[in-house]
Amino acid sequence: MTSTQDKITVIYPESDGNPMSDNTKQFQWIVVIKENLEILFANRPDVFVAGDLLWYPQQGDNKIRQAPDTMVVFGRPKGDRGSYQQWEEGNIPPQVVFEILSPGNRLKEMARKFKFYEQYGVEEYYIFDPDRLDFNGWLRSSDGTLEVIDEPENWMSPRLGIRFELKDGNFMIYRPDGEKFLTSTELAAQVQTERQRAEAAEDRVRELEERLRQLEGDRHN
């Protein structure tokens, strides 16, 4: 009688037990980058953007994983996911990854992340330290390794088309159309301003229409 071995079901947890951020400054930058990228690619159904989502590159191994602060995947549909299981996603790895540093990050931890991203196919890797105002980036070279970007403080992402600028103590990110990445508060204020402008324009049109009716009435009288 031949014995059979039951297949072991591998569980891929949706949380690694670590907080998304260590402080408000780190959290704000994670949200700003993630949400502005969502807005930038809102009309691209084949671009998936996620924040703090566990990425499992290898089926059958739930120990090999990372949760980038923000990741962008071209060639995958939008939609909710508990984790990014690469073998379920056409075996497409995230092409662009962002990490926002906090005082709690350690050199060993960041070296391990770098090795992971290099090994599993990330094309562009960016790190921003909001406390030290330090921005660095790496780009995948022809030999398959991630090579440091010499002048990241004035750099345009080949994949995203966004531009980074670190000048006079300020770190800014610009969309391809030149508009700056905004916080949720700034975005809400912008929407309110546009609404007020639209309402003012409608009021002006109504005033002009009423004036024309009066002129027509005066002419017929």
Side-chain angles (χ1 to χ4, degrees):
M1 183 175 178
T2 304
S3 63
T4 59
Q5 183 178 9
D6 293 333
K7 291 184 178 180
I8 299 175
T9 300
V10 179
I11 304 300
Y12 302 93
E14 297 181 2
S15 173
D16 57 7
N18 295 320
M20 180 177 176
S21 63
D22 292 341
N23 56 45
T24 56
K25 189 182 294 186
Q26 183 191 24
F27 179 78
Q28 177 172 301
W29 272 107
I30 293 171
V31 172
V32 164
I33 292 173
K34 188 264 184 186
E35 292 302 312
N36 278 269
L37 288 173
E38 289 267 29
I39 294 169
L40 179 61
F41 294 107
N43 296 323
R44 288 279 304 273
D46 63 334
V47 179
F48 173 63
V49 180
D52 196 40
L53 185 71
L54 278 171
W55 163 24
Y56 294 95
Q58 291 188 353
Q59 186 174 14
D61 194 334
N62 60 10
K63 301 299 182 184
I64 300 176
R65 65 190 188 184
Q66 282 295 339
D69 287 334
T70 301
M71 67 181 189
V72 185
V73 191
F74 290 82
R76 297 309 301 158
K78 301 183 188 303
D80 294 328
R81 292 163 172 80
S83 63
Y84 190 84
Q85 299 174 26
Q86 190 172 311
W87 58 93
E88 298 286 352
E89 306 281 356
N91 205 33
I92 299 175
Q95 292 97 349
V96 185
V97 163
F98 291 85
E99 293 285 357
I100 308 301
L101 297 187
S102 71
N105 289 119
R106 296 292 179 264
L107 184 60
K108 183 177 179 180
E109 173 193 1
M110 298 313 298
R112 186 166 56 246
K113 286 185 176 184
F114 180 91
K115 183 177 179 180
F116 179 96
Y117 296 144
E118 185 175 57
Q119 180 175 353
Y120 291 108
V122 169
E123 296 176 10
E124 300 176 36
Y125 177 31
Y126 300 105
I127 297 178
F128 176 54
D129 185 339
D131 289 313
R132 296 182 175 84
L133 280 177
D134 188 27
F135 178 67
N136 291 283
W138 291 263
L139 185 68
R140 188 164 293 273
S141 65
S142 57
D143 66 3
T145 61
L146 287 174
E147 290 192 354
V148 67
I149 297 168
D150 289 332
E151 297 182 359
E153 65 278 0
N154 190 18
W155 169 261
M156 180 176 290
S157 161
R159 270 284 188 176
L160 306 177
I162 62 177
R163 184 172 62 85
F164 306 99
E165 183 178 277
L166 182 57
K167 184 172 66 174
D168 300 329
N170 292 304
F171 179 63
M172 290 168 286
I173 306 175
Y174 295 92
R175 295 161 46 103
D177 61 7
E179 292 295 321
K180 190 177 77 169
F181 273 27
L182 301 175
T183 65
S184 57
T185 303
E186 291 170 331
L187 285 168
Q190 187 180 69
V191 169
Q192 179 64 21
T193 298
E194 293 301 322
R195 183 182 295 116
Q196 291 173 347
R197 287 176 179 171
E199 290 173 353
E202 290 175 0
D203 290 342
R204 180 58 178 161
V205 168
R206 283 193 290 270
E207 290 174 4
L208 291 173
E209 290 175 343
E210 179 61 27
R211 180 58 178 160
L212 285 172
R213 283 194 292 270
Q214 292 176 355
L215 290 172
E216 286 291 327
D218 292 343
R219 190 179 68 179
H220 290 302
N221 290 334

